């Protein structure tokens, strides 16, 4: 990794933390007042600093403060902010054409992204992909396709899941506040089942799977389910990693009962965990896999990739959307695949875990407020509790995130109980920046 990575030829962004003003600074404070007058209060911000530039693992605000970014736009900037190859690909496409609507006049970039997803998602079976704009759209379309394929309507999801903010995906999302409260009624025939949460339930993978399956068989009936949608590692739910054997048992049950097994890899996919997709860590081959976030280096695109016979179930014209697979976003996605492949970026997840996870475990040994350290690759989390108990400690999470922000480190919160700190650094982050961020995190815990 180089120390200096250039976001613009005339304005390099040094890969270092630097705080010059109070947080937020004076320019951010002015922008915040403008924002409060023009943007609904429901569109919140975790940190009211306004970004001017970003590159690699550093975000620069309008006041010149430089933050180590351990959030990556909630996992979007997996290969780093303003990656040169992504910028070049998007820029080149901008000069050719910016929109054509694939369902009217198709273009190669869409096809190439579909080919790349077929090559890199788990399984050697024939696959096809449709492209849309966002993760929630991917979930919606996956459910629609599964219903068409099976002739069934029921949708099963797991406790602590997050699948989006549309009407259907709100129904599928577990946590009420802030995602669902007051926005109902929601789509029907969505069924929430217990998940595997080793820190809290203490169950083995097979035992947790038996509990999930029993619940669905008794409450819904397997013959009425079109699909089961799972996050191999739960995102907003708190980076919950299921116990060994849990996901394979669920997949086997789905396969035996004609239920489409869907992996929502919107947050966990695209090299985030040291594999192309987190499903690979658990030995599962989903019938359908959903991608978004890190797939295009910050440009909006998402994919539904599935077994060819499932994806071909809808009639002609039954799938599509005006901006789905936008040519500029598709060009960026092709560049992201190429960067991961040619630069060997899958190895970076293991490198990051090798520094960050031991650092978090060392903090756990010193501070009994840290109940659990979990995750894979560059998708790690700590769950904070009242010492000596499993009782959640959201106040400590808020204090740690606020302290880190004041000292130039962006950390995201998560968890149904509001008591998880999650770490999603880009694969471009240096070892030195990771260690520096850990030092700030240590100071934050010492300040509690």
């Amino acid at each position: 990794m180089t120390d200096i990575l250039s976001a613009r030829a005339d304005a390099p962004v040094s890969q270092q933390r630097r705080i010059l003003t109070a947080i937020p600074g004076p320019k951010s404070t002015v922008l915040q007042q403008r924002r409060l007058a023009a943007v609904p209060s429901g569109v919140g911000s975790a940190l009211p600093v306004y970004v001017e530039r970003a590159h690699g693992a550093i975000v620069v605000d309008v006041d010149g403060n430089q933050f180590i970014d351990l959030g990556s736009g909630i996992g979007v900037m997996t290969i780093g902010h303003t990656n040169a190859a992504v910028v070049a690909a998007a820029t080149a496409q901008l000069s050719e054409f910016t929109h054509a609507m694939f369902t009217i006049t198709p273009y190669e970039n869409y096809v190439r992204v579909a080919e790349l997803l077929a090559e890199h998602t788990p399984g050697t079976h024939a696959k096809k992909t449709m492209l849309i704009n966002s993760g929630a759209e991917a979930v919606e379309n996956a459910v629609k396709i599964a219903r068409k394929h099976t002739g069934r309507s029921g949708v099963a999801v797991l406790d602590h899941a997050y699948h989006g903010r549309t009407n259907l995906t709100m129904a599928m999302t577990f946590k009420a506040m802030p995602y669902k409260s007051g926005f109902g009624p929601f789509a029907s025939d969505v069924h929430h089942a217990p998940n595997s949460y080793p820190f809290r339930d203490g169950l083995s993978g097979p035992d947790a799977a038996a509990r999930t399956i029993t619940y669905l068989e008794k409450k819904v009936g397997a013959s009425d389910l079109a699909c089961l949608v799972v996050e191999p590692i739960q995102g907003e739910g708190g980076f919950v990693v299921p116990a060994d054997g849990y996901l394979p048992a669920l997949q086997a049950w789905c396969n035996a009962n004609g239920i489409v097994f869907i992996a929502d890899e919107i947050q966990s996919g695209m090299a985030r965990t040291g594999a192309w997709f987190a499903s690979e860590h658990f030995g599962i081959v989903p019938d359908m896999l959903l991608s978004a976030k890190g797939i295009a280096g910050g440009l909006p695109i998402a994919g539904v990739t599935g077994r060819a016979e499932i994806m071909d179930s809808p009639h002609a014209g039954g799938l599509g959307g005006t901006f789905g697979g936008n040519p500029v976003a598709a060009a960026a996605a092709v560049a992201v695949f190429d960067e991961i492949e040619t630069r060997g970026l899958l190895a970076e997840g293991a490198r990051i875990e090798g520094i960050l996870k031991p650092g978090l475990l060392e903090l756990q040994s010193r501070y009994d407020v840290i109940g659990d350290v979990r995750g894979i690759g560059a998708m790690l989390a700590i769950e904070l509790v009242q010492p000596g108990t499993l009782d959640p400690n959201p106040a400590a999470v808020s204090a740690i995130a606020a302290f880190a922000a004041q000292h130039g480190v962006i950390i995201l919160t998560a968890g149904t109980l509001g008591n998880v700190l999650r770490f999603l650094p880009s694969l471009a982050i240096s070892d030195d920046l990771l260690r520096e961020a850990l030092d700030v995190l240590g100071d934050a815990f010492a300040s509690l």
Side-chain angles (χ1 to χ4, degrees), residues 90-91 93-101 107 323 325-329:
T91 301
Q93 183 58 51
L94 278 168
S95 67
E96 299 295 334
F97 62 96
T98 60
H99 176 72
M101 192 165 178
Y107 39 90
F323 294 107
N326 170 270
V328 180

Side-chain angles (χ1 to χ4, degrees), residues 181-252:
S181 183
F183 297 141
F186 303 115
S188 61
D189 222 353
V190 174
H191 307 276
H192 293 258
N195 68 327
S196 172
Y197 198 146
F199 176 62
R200 294 195 166 272
D201 63 31
L203 295 176
S204 69
D207 286 346
R211 180 178 64 173
T212 302
I213 291 166
T214 299
Y215 180 90
L216 290 172
E217 288 182 337
K218 300 301 182 185
K219 186 177 187 297
V220 188
S223 62
D224 287 331
L225 284 175
C227 58
L228 170 63
V229 187
V230 305
E231 298 162 278
I233 300 174
Q234 291 186 319
E236 296 291 319
F239 285 20
V240 179
V241 181
D244 290 345
Y246 177 73
L247 292 176
L250 291 188
Q251 182 179 9

Side-chain angles (χ1 to χ4, degrees), residues 12 20 42 66 114 185 220 347:
L20 304 176
Q66 298 196 177
V220 188

